[in-house]
Amino acid sequence: MLRVLDPDDLPPAYRVPWRVDRVYDTHPLITNDSGTTVDFVRVFVDSTRCAPETQFWGQMLPGETAELCLCDYDHDDVVVTVGWFRPETGVEYVWRFVV
């Protein structure tokens, strides 16, 4: 059932903490561009031509960068999903991007 949402009942906006630098075609750099630590970071790589893959990166500190290897994938056909938890709320978030 649909209902009208009261803006005062909504949580404050949360900016996605990630920055993706495509310095290399098959090795994008993913940086925690926020001022806070993120926990239990997982990266899911999916393509129609290869089996899905999950990488566990653990905790990422502010400014920390990880390199994602996509050498086994056709980089024109890859969807990357990043999942993480905010330590201060314990809420899980996910964010997707294409290479």
Side-chain angles (χ1 to χ4, degrees):
M1 170 183 271
L2 296 176
R3 64 181 176 90
V4 176
L5 295 176
D6 182 349
D8 294 332
D9 293 337
L10 297 175
Y14 171 59
R15 183 179 171 161
V16 172
W18 308 111
R19 183 182 76 235
V20 178
D21 295 309
R22 293 173 176 93
V23 178
Y24 314 105
D25 285 344
T26 57
H27 288 254
L29 304 174
I30 302 174
T31 301
N32 176 359
D33 203 30
S34 73
T36 61
T37 300
V38 291
D39 282 336
F40 305 110
V41 179
R42 285 123 28 248
V43 178
F44 309 94
V45 180
D46 197 11
S47 169
T48 58
R49 297 186 184 131
C50 296
E53 175 187 351
T54 303
Q55 296 183 19
F56 297 95
W57 290 358
Q59 186 178 71
M60 288 185 71
L61 302 174
E64 190 172 354
T65 299
E67 185 173 341
L68 179 61
C69 179
L70 300 174
C71 291
D72 294 336
Y73 296 90
D74 176 0
H75 68 272
D76 292 330
D77 182 42
V78 175
V79 176
V80 177
T81 304
V82 182
W84 72 97
F85 288 86
R86 290 177 66 189
E88 59 272 8
T89 63
V91 175
E92 181 177 297
Y93 291 83
V94 293
W95 178 66
R96 299 179 93 184
F97 68 94
V98 294
V99 182

